[in-house]
Amino acid sequence: MSPLTYILGFPFLAALVILLIPKNYRFLIRSVALVGSFLSLVVAVSVFANFGSAPAIDGFKFQQMVPWIERAGISYHVGVDGINIGIILMAAVVAFAATAMAREIKSNEKEFYLLLMVMEGGILGAFVSLDLFLFYFFHELALVPTFIMIGIWGRGPDKNYATFNITIYLSLGALISLIGLIALYVQSGANSFDLIVLTRHIQQNPLTLASQQVIFPLLLFGFGILVSLWPFHTWAPLGYGAAPTSTAMLHAGVLKKFGLYGLIRVAMPLLPEGASTWLNVIAILALGNIVFCGWVAMRQRDLNLLIGNSSVAHMGFIFLGIASLTTVGVTGAVVVMIAHGFLAALAFGLNGYLYNQTKTLNIDELGGLLKKMPFIGTAMIMAMMAGCGLPGFANFAGEALVLFGSWKAFPVVTGIAIWGALVIGAVYMLRAVRNVLHGPDDPHWNEVKDAGLWPKIPFVLLIVALLTFGFVPRLLTEKIEPAVVELLKMANKNKPANPTVAVHGQISSENFQ
Amino acid sequence: MNQTFPWLILFLPLIAAVGITLLTQRSKSLSAVLSIGAIAASFLLSLVLFMSLKGNIGLNETLAKSWLSVGNLQVDFGFKLDSLSLLMLLIVTGVGTAIHVYSWGYMHDDPSVSRYFASLSLFTFSMLGIVLSNNLVMMFIFWELVGLSSYLLIGFWYQKNSAADAAKKAFLTNRIGDFGFLMGIILIWALVGTVDFTRLQDAFRANPALLGTSATAAGLLIFCGAMGKSAQFPLHVWLPDAMEGPTPVSALIHAATMVAAGVYMLCRVFFLFSPTALEVIAWIGGLTSLMAALIAVQQQDIKRILAYSTLSQLGYMVMAVGLQGPAASMYHLTTHAFFKALLFLGAGSVIHAMHHEQNIWQMGNLKKKMPATYWTFLIGTLALCGVPPFSGFFSKDAILAVAWEHNSWLFCIALFVAFLTTFYMFRLFFVAFHGVGKSKSVDHAHESPSIMTTPLWLLAIPSVISGWLGVEHFVGKNFGMTGDHHLNFIEEIFYPFSHAPFAAMTGIMATIVGFSLAYALYSKAVVDPLPEKLHGLSRAMRNRFYWDEIFNGLIRITHEAAATLANGIDRWIIGGFFVKGLHGTTEFAGRALRLVQTGNIQTYALLLVAGLAVVLFLILH
């Protein structure tokens, strides 16, 4: 029994138990949920810690395989390599933090925690899956509860519109990517959804250029919609603004990374020729995310909309790193995925706490809160600083890697992206701090209280994660880099070895290092 | 010893900062002890390190651990110990210790003193990181951290709107400089393959045309970082506003150390710059220096005058680098750190005594009331104005000499600035310390406690003697300057006259003219006589040549407008036209099709027959 099964199993088990508890035993329901996600977290941390010493088969560790529908080649197959181990750790941390933040839910707790557990199990399952069918299946399992959660426990005047908007838009994206995945399955002729089998099969019989050029855009835009690729991004700020805190944390932090993971894991290595024609498009659209959505964020007066747009902007860096197809760039992309997961969870969590105290997130109405809430205020400043790429937080390491790695392939785009990262990000983040935390005392907010001991825990956890990987990014990159190198061998196989970097007068090829 | 000392020097302040934040926030004195103890220890360790390593000509030690290693990007966490960094270590820790001690006196009554000391220690850590780093990326990291510390300290009294605004302005302006800086770093790495200073320098020595056609671009991009941090035009606008922070902060960060980081960085990577880049750098430095000096002539706030003076002196230092005189630049950086910190702390003493009155036209006759402050301030002023044998004379002369050698236009500008410097400094001096008391607050003024005046005397000593110690030659070893060292004491004092007599004499003359004019206009003045004489020019100077207003306007028409446009497109076109449009279209199609479902049997019969007819037509045709 692989420990990975425990990681996705504990939340599902917790959901089952919660189903049996009568609805008015609120404390018990919450405790079961917390225990479930905490156990999942513990296992995830231990897998992360033991990752280096575990044996690898076909490049993946901690595997477990249980055949399911043999005719169609579908099986329960889980495993980790350098790329998804960090994401799984991040997902488990964010899941626990999100569960902790669910204390704000005061009605129909049983249903909410049930849905939350299903969502957590689903997204953890998606990231550990090595079977493409279950990969998609778990994601949908995680997506559907968001509809109910935003619809019932959401807030704001746009709640209903946001609920339908996010659900239908994301379902559309998932549908397009499903078509792509099935097309891949059919065209490859491997008669298996298993990633390892598919990869081996495609390496020997690559798909024709014609089919790659159809399948890749399906996957790109399908997954792209799921990740709020520009211009398919408007669902995100709207949805996060209306969602309850736990849902926003889990969705923005973890679910959004699903599409990017799909691109890195499936689309780029298995469809290299199809991908190569789209790289420039991806880079330009990434710029749309970084700069356009950064500018939109600058004009927002609602904190959640601001963080939501900032979240969309950060996705641009990941796309840019992926499009660069260099070791440095793609490793950076994965690091940003992980770092941003922590950051989004922290930011939305803090906003949620603030909303509960002040009943508004309008920047113009808030003010002078740092004095009243030193802990939350400081945590918020840290989140803002991490969001604009301050070194010391994991986001800087990731963004720097992406920028260094993408320079060769897209110098102009990267140059503009640096502006987006350093200046645009700082503008809206610091304005938020200026208007919400700094400034004179506002008697309106005299009743506002700082976080007590228990509510502090999820925030401290997330900040520690950001700082740890910010000070020692090696913990992530030493795992990610080897896996990325393997992946790029497949993704770059048609590119001639480019003489890219002159080192002391000698030409060396950048791609194969 | 050499292996562990740099680690201790760097990390002791960080430990203090973390310790204060987590453990001693309630106790003011414990926090102060931690913070002062850390930097004092770092100073002592730096001194020992300096003594043991300084004799080593061609010194170039590095200790490195790998921090980030992906693909062919190798970023170390390492230290580069050479004469440049050793000198800077002493300045940062030495001046820093004096200011930390002074702060305890100045900030004693503030309720958030613990937070102050934690931020100050964080700053010390970050600044030492810049000094010690052995590669561009590590320097950039600490560069940003220094920006953070500055943000926290300028905005220390964040409940004041002006302070909160100033902090944000400083951070954002610096970020614009960092944008260019990072692009330059990436460009260099892409072309050369390494970010390590030593390896870069070796690569350049082996092949001076390494950067090819991008050499000037890379150099100027890197210079952007220095423009931001050292407040050169056009990124100078944040420095005067930064005076919102407590005065010891202004002394430490915005006079002696952080703003000098830009100059330090330029000297560190001096070998990268092409002649064109150096020319641009020199002119920007010279023009900044001139503009700032002119503005200082008509400022009334004592801290603002000193702030613009700092801007002007930084311009001198940058100009010197551009004129291929990095050793002269570092020399002036050193002396300036001492006397500028002294002047700011002196100003703080005055402000403290005047119950936070900062307008010089409300002061006067403080000579009698505050003798210690008076004499130390005079020493600082004489040093800044370049009066021999004070330290400023020697370093300023080094810069004038370099200017005379390379660019006569800039020499004239530099000379004029020397005149202006003396003029506005003695304007300040006479109005604040001489004449009659111009307001009630003067009557209550008295000398500051010894915890504040002792650092003043301590800083006065190097302000006087640091010109006699051969600083330029020590640091010049880094830049391949040979010969002329091992001068004895007397030769050192007369060095300017033997080395560049014309520059020295004209410099002294400019000082004399400036002093005389200031004496004539201000020694007995009760109101400022200049506005009447200079009209519009005086108003422009007082309004800082309107650059803040111009930039605000420019930003509004470009960046803000772009953001508004993007937001509009996002809401109305992408979200509105496309998404809602899709929604509307689908809904419309649904409604249209629904019309077919009339519930009326006749309709269905009609449709059945019509459909049958179409099918028959298609089959038979």
Side-chain angles (χ1 to χ4, degrees):
Chain A
M1 184 75 137
S2 159
L4 301 176
T5 308
Y6 287 111
I7 295 181
L8 74 94
F10 278 128
F12 281 131
L13 195 60
L16 227 56
V17 172
I18 291 177
L19 196 59
L20 302 172
I21 302 178
K23 64 185 291 173
N24 40 338
Y25 285 71
R26 296 193 198 93
F27 183 73
L28 188 58
I29 292 175
R30 180 169 162 76
S31 308
V32 169
L34 280 172
V35 166
S37 54
F38 183 71
L39 287 174
S40 182
L41 172 59
V42 166
V43 178
V45 171
S46 96
V47 171
F48 186 82
N50 291 320
F51 181 81
S53 48
I57 309 171
D58 293 319
F60 289 94
K61 311 191 178 191
F62 299 108
Q63 290 187 45
Q64 181 179 6
M65 159 107 149
V66 177
W68 185 17
I69 308 177
E70 303 230 18
R71 273 282 198 86
I74 300 174
S75 57
Y76 173 81
H77 189 181
V78 297
V80 281
D81 72 348
I83 294 180
N84 58 347
I85 183 64
I87 303 176
I88 292 167
L89 176 68
M90 181 268 290
V93 173
V94 170
F96 177 68
T99 314
M101 286 303 294
R103 73 182 1 227
E104 67 175 9
I105 302 292
K106 297 282 188 252
S107 66
N108 296 318
E109 292 87 345
K110 170 170 170 167
E111 285 76 16
F112 188 82
Y113 281 105
L114 189 66
L115 290 169
L116 192 62
M117 290 296 108
V118 169
M119 200 176 162
E120 288 178 17
I123 197 56
L124 286 165
F127 282 119
V128 298
S129 277
L130 290 179
D131 178 286
L132 289 184
F133 183 83
L134 279 181
F135 175 64
Y136 182 82
F137 173 81
F138 277 125
H139 175 257
E140 290 302 291
L141 198 58
L143 193 56
V144 171
T146 60
F147 172 64
I148 308 173
M149 285 161 120
I150 303 180
I152 299 187
W153 290 275
R155 56 186 183 229
D158 289 324
K159 180 183 77 163
N160 288 333
Y161 178 69
T163 312
F164 282 93
N165 187 321
I166 193 175
T167 311
I168 297 182
Y169 212 146
L170 291 183
S171 301
L172 187 65
L175 178 66
I176 298 178
S177 60
L178 178 65
I179 298 175
L181 287 174
I182 293 182
L184 181 63
Y185 169 79
V186 168
Q187 287 290 44
S188 68
N191 203 36
S192 168
F193 277 102
D194 188 286
L195 189 68
I196 298 180
V197 172
L198 256 180
T199 311
R200 219 178 296 139
H201 186 97
I202 291 183
Q203 273 177 327
Q204 265 125 33
N205 327 301
L207 275 81
T208 63
L209 182 63
S211 50
Q212 283 198 39
Q213 286 188 327
V214 168
I215 301 179
F216 185 81
L218 283 174
L219 287 180
L220 173 64
F221 289 106
F223 285 140
I225 293 177
L226 293 177
V227 191
S228 66
L229 176 68
W230 194 89
F232 309 108
H233 64 281
T234 48
W235 56 266
L238 205 59
Y240 299 146
T245 310
S246 309
T247 313
M249 285 166 79
L250 210 44
H251 199 289
V254 192
L255 258 98
K256 237 199 206 179
K257 312 299 184 298
F258 171 81
L260 293 160
Y261 178 66
L263 274 179
I264 296 180
R265 194 47 109 203
V266 181
M268 304 302 251
L270 299 182
L271 308 164
E273 289 88 1
S276 59
T277 47
W278 286 93
L279 292 178
N280 287 323
V281 174
I282 299 178
I284 308 260
L285 292 182
L287 203 61
N289 275 71
I290 298 174
V291 175
F292 185 91
C293 293
W295 279 337
V296 174
M298 270 172 62
R299 299 294 299 174
Q300 298 310 311
R301 310 316 296 169
D302 177 292
L303 260 183
N304 259 349
L305 288 181
L306 190 146
I307 300 292
N309 273 300
S310 153
S311 189
V312 173
H314 279 110
M315 296 299 107
F317 288 106
I318 310 176
F319 277 112
L320 185 60
I322 295 176
S324 73
L325 286 185
T326 59
T327 312
V328 180
V330 181
T331 307
V334 180
V335 173
V336 177
M337 279 167 78
I338 300 170
H340 177 263
F342 290 125
L343 174 66
L346 180 63
F348 281 114
L350 288 169
N351 283 357
Y353 181 89
L354 195 58
Y355 183 79
N356 282 332
Q357 296 281 316
T358 60
K359 295 295 172 262
T360 176
L361 283 179
N362 190 318
I363 296 182
D364 301 318
E365 288 172 23
L366 297 170
L369 290 178
L370 184 55
K371 196 97 210 157
K372 301 242 168 45
M373 317 165 93
F375 175 80
I376 294 288
T378 309
M380 211 174 248
I381 295 182
M382 283 188 172
M384 298 297 176
M385 287 295 174
C388 61
L390 189 77
F393 296 104
N395 308 71
F396 169 75
E399 283 172 16
L401 284 171
V402 166
L403 293 169
F404 273 90
S406 316
W407 175 264
K408 220 43 219 205
F410 311 108
V412 177
V413 170
T414 306
I416 304 177
I418 303 178
W419 178 265
L422 288 184
V423 181
I424 300 182
V427 170
Y428 57 75
M429 290 301 194
L430 259 74
R431 272 195 201 157
V433 172
R434 169 72 185 90
N435 288 321
V436 173
L437 298 172
H438 286 175
D441 262 340
D442 191 336
H444 206 103
W445 307 119
N446 272 339
E447 300 302 307
V448 165
K449 275 194 295 269
D450 203 7
L453 178 60
W454 291 110
K456 277 200 179 97
I457 294 183
F459 302 129
V460 171
L461 192 59
L462 291 167
I463 292 178
V464 165
L466 278 172
L467 288 172
T468 309
F469 292 124
F471 275 80
V472 202
R474 206 181 341 120
L475 289 174
L476 290 175
T477 57
E478 69 192 359
K479 300 180 172 69
I480 300 175
E481 192 188 355
V484 166
V485 169
E486 284 307 308
L487 213 109
L488 286 178
K489 283 203 194 126
M490 287 192 276
N492 276 333
K493 71 173 171 24
N494 307 309
K495 286 197 185 168
N498 292 326
T500 49
V501 174
V503 180
H504 295 294
Q506 282 175 306
I507 308 287
S508 73
S509 166
E510 199 197 8
N511 290 333
F512 293 97
Q513 285 186 328
Chain B
M1 172 182 73
N2 295 347
Q3 305 292 319
T4 51
F5 273 23
W7 290 97
L8 283 173
I9 294 174
L10 177 64
F11 279 100
L12 279 175
L14 179 65
I15 296 174
V18 173
I20 296 175
T21 313
L22 296 178
L23 301 172
T24 65
Q25 285 231 29
R26 297 265 165 79
S27 162
K28 288 187 191 180
S29 32
L30 264 182
S31 303
V33 163
L34 267 180
S35 183
I36 298 176
I39 194 173
S42 290
F43 176 56
L44 289 170
L45 292 173
S46 301
L47 210 50
V48 174
L49 201 60
F50 178 81
M51 294 275 125
S52 78
L53 290 177
K54 76 168 163 63
N56 218 325
I57 302 177
L59 161 73
N60 195 347
E61 282 209 26
T62 26
L63 319 127
K65 280 197 159 83
S66 173
W67 181 70
L68 191 64
S69 174
V70 179
N72 53 355
L73 176 62
Q74 170 72 24
V75 179
D76 288 333
F77 188 91
F79 304 131
K80 190 169 164 67
L81 299 171
D82 57 3
S83 55
L84 192 59
S85 53
L86 284 175
L87 173 67
M88 199 71 183
L89 267 186
L90 284 179
I91 298 175
V92 174
T93 51
V95 175
T97 306
I99 296 180
H100 272 66
V101 172
Y102 178 96
S103 295
W104 181 225
Y106 190 84
M107 300 288 292
H108 192 264
D109 299 319
D110 193 293
S112 312
V113 167
S114 301
R115 180 165 54 95
Y116 174 83
F117 276 111
S119 308
L120 215 59
S121 288
L122 180 67
F123 167 77
T124 309
F125 163 69
S126 314
M127 188 68 212
L128 290 172
I130 292 183
V131 172
L132 288 169
S133 52
N134 77 341
N135 65 74
L136 279 167
V137 177
M138 181 176 161
M139 190 181 248
F140 183 79
I141 290 175
F142 282 105
W143 197 262
E144 291 275 299
L145 288 178
V146 154
L148 170 72
S149 315
S150 175
Y151 173 77
L152 292 175
L153 285 164
I154 296 176
F156 179 69
W157 291 308
Y158 55 78
Q159 295 201 282
K160 241 173 110 196
N161 278 323
S162 50
D165 287 331
K168 177 167 69 106
K169 184 174 182 180
F171 195 85
L172 289 178
T173 315
N174 264 282
R175 268 294 172 97
I176 297 179
D178 295 347
F179 159 69
F181 192 15
L182 186 59
M183 227 195 305
I185 296 178
I186 296 180
L187 183 58
I188 291 178
W189 172 76
L191 290 171
V192 185
T194 176
V195 292
D196 182 281
F197 290 134
T198 314
R199 270 184 237 137
L200 274 173
Q201 197 161 1
D202 291 339
F204 266 86
R205 224 173 271 147
N207 176 8
L210 195 53
L211 287 179
T213 45
S214 315
T216 307
L220 288 178
L221 284 173
I222 300 267
F223 178 57
C224 283
M227 277 206 276
K229 205 58 90 189
S230 295
Q232 298 298 293
F233 177 82
L235 297 177
H236 66 281
V237 288
W238 66 271
L239 189 54
D241 286 30
M243 297 300 116
E244 289 286 335
T247 307
V249 167
S250 307
L252 180 60
I253 299 189
H254 304 124
T257 51
M258 183 181 100
V259 291
V263 179
Y264 177 77
M265 184 264 279
L266 289 177
C267 293
R268 248 285 168 256
V269 294
F270 182 70
F271 53 85
L272 282 176
F273 296 114
S274 69
T276 323
L278 285 175
E279 177 118 11
V280 174
I281 293 175
W283 275 101
I284 292 184
L287 291 173
T288 304
S289 161
L290 178 62
M291 179 192 73
L294 285 171
I295 296 178
V297 166
Q298 281 292 281
Q299 295 301 306
Q300 287 143 316
D301 181 317
I302 189 174
K303 282 179 70 171
R304 297 267 158 147
I305 298 177
L306 292 177
Y308 281 103
S309 168
T310 305
L311 264 179
S312 181
Q313 298 304 302
L314 287 170
Y316 254 25
M317 293 177 222
V318 170
M319 182 181 75
V321 171
L323 292 168
Q324 297 181 44
S329 180
M330 282 306 295
Y331 194 9
H332 198 56
L333 193 159
T334 312
T335 59
H336 177 263
F338 296 126
F339 57 68
K340 208 31 127 352
L342 171 59
L343 286 169
F344 263 106
L345 293 188
S349 178
V350 168
I351 295 172
H352 193 89
M354 299 278 295
H355 295 294
H356 292 281
E357 174 59 68
Q358 295 184 200
N359 186 333
I360 57 172
W361 295 102
Q362 302 291 317
M363 301 177 189
N365 198 25
L366 287 176
K367 171 177 180 179
K368 299 256 178 354
K369 304 268 179 179
M370 315 178 68
T373 306
Y374 174 79
W375 287 107
T376 50
F377 203 90
L378 179 60
I379 292 175
T381 307
L382 289 172
L384 173 54
C385 297
V387 174
F390 293 88
S391 58
F393 165 67
F394 296 90
S395 56
K396 207 177 265 199
D397 173 77
I399 297 184
L400 286 174
V402 170
W404 178 240
E405 229 183 297
H406 283 97
N407 188 325
S408 348
W409 282 112
L410 282 174
F411 175 76
C412 295
I413 292 181
L415 207 57
F416 185 57
V417 171
F419 153 71
L420 284 174
T421 308
T422 318
F423 179 66
Y424 65 67
M425 278 315 292
F426 276 100
R427 165 180 179 266
L428 167 64
F429 188 74
F430 287 132
V431 171
F433 288 96
H434 281 259
V436 298
K438 302 176 192 50
S439 77
K440 285 277 186 307
S441 312
V442 182
D443 301 331
H444 303 304
H446 58 88
E447 186 57 86
S448 302
S450 59
I451 194 167
M452 284 168 65
T453 55
T454 313
L456 292 178
W457 287 113
L458 285 176
L459 283 172
I461 300 174
S463 299
V464 177
I465 69 168
S466 59
W468 313 336
L469 301 175
V471 172
E472 190 180 7
H473 298 131
F474 175 70
V475 98
K477 285 188 228 162
N478 239 46
F479 303 108
M481 274 171 63
T482 48
D484 282 320
H485 42 141
H486 302 306
L487 291 177
N488 71 41
F489 196 62
I490 302 293
E491 285 172 352
E492 197 67 60
I493 298 190
F494 286 99
Y495 182 73
F497 298 102
S498 56
H499 176 77
F502 181 70
M505 296 314 303
T506 46
I508 294 182
M509 271 174 34
T511 305
I512 296 178
V513 174
F515 177 80
S516 321
L517 201 56
Y519 186 81
L521 287 174
Y522 289 105
S523 56
K524 306 262 190 319
V526 181
V527 285
D528 199 331
L530 270 190
E532 274 183 5
K533 300 195 201 276
L534 296 180
H535 306 292
L537 182 58
S538 157
R539 208 174 333 122
M541 288 195 229
R542 213 172 329 123
N543 286 320
R544 309 166 320 258
F545 290 119
Y546 306 107
W547 283 114
D548 281 292
E549 290 78 4
I550 296 177
F551 288 147
N552 280 340
L554 271 175
I555 294 174
R556 219 172 320 130
I557 9 178
T558 52
H559 210 228
E560 293 295 319
T564 314
L565 185 64
N567 194 28
I569 296 179
D570 200 55
R571 276 184 76 177
W572 300 111
I573 303 188
I574 302 183
F577 182 69
F578 286 110
V579 175
K580 287 207 176 126
L582 193 63
H583 159 219
T585 313
T586 321
E587 185 145 337
F588 179 72
R591 276 181 214 249
L593 283 173
R594 183 184 63 79
L595 292 175
V596 175
Q597 309 290 340
T598 57
N600 187 334
I601 278 240
Q602 285 90 313
T603 320
Y604 296 152
L606 177 65
L607 288 173
L608 191 72
V609 170
L612 194 60
V614 170
V615 169
L616 281 174
F617 177 73
L618 287 171
I619 294 180
L620 297 176
H621 186 78

